[in-house]
């Protein structure tokens, strides 16, 4: 069964391809994605890697957590399931439920 890993503290220059290459040393990578800012397209400093085998994922965690990659000490652990969060209305403290009202 595949295991999804969280990879944090990545360099802003890290790409999904370079992340894939790093983890491929430890087994079959199903997917590797660096989270990017939707406006600038720049890395947000973290990503996710899905490894085909649980044993390979465990080996990658042991080998890479706390190690240097592209000039940064990265964090690698098993990804936690995404929690449902309430949607923000984006209005900050001034939001009162209508458009143009203050």
């Amino acid at each position: 069964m595949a295991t999804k890993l969280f990879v944090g503290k990545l360099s802003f220059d890290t790409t999904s391809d370079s992340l894939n290459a790093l983890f491929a040393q430890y087994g079959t990578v199903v997917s590797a994605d660096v989270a990017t800012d939707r406006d600038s397209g720049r890395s947000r400093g973290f990503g996710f890697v899905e490894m085909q085998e649980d044993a390979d994922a465990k080996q990658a965690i042991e080998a890479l957590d706390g190690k240097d990659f592209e000039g940064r000490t990265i964090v690698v652990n098993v990804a936690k399931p995404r929690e449902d969060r309430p949607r923000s209305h984006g209005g900050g403290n001034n939001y009162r439920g209508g458009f143009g009202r203050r």
Side-chain angles (χ1 to χ4, degrees), residues 29-78:
V29 175
V30 176
S31 65
D33 296 303
V34 173
T36 56
D37 180 80
R38 83 179 117 199
D39 294 329
S40 69
R42 186 174 146 190
S43 167
R44 293 181 60 202
F46 69 93
F48 297 93
V49 175
E50 191 171 2
M51 304 283 297
Q52 185 170 335
E53 301 294 329
D54 294 342
D56 294 342
K58 183 177 179 182
Q59 182 182 6
I61 291 169
E62 291 172 2
L64 298 173
D65 185 43
K67 300 296 184 212
D68 180 79
F69 177 61
E70 297 183 348
R72 300 287 303 265
T73 302
I74 62 172
V75 173
V76 182
N77 51 45
V78 175

Side-chain angles (χ1 to χ4, degrees), residues 18-32:
S18 63
L19 196 59
N20 188 334
L22 176 66
F23 280 81
Q25 300 174 63
Y26 301 97
T28 303
V29 175
V30 176
S31 65

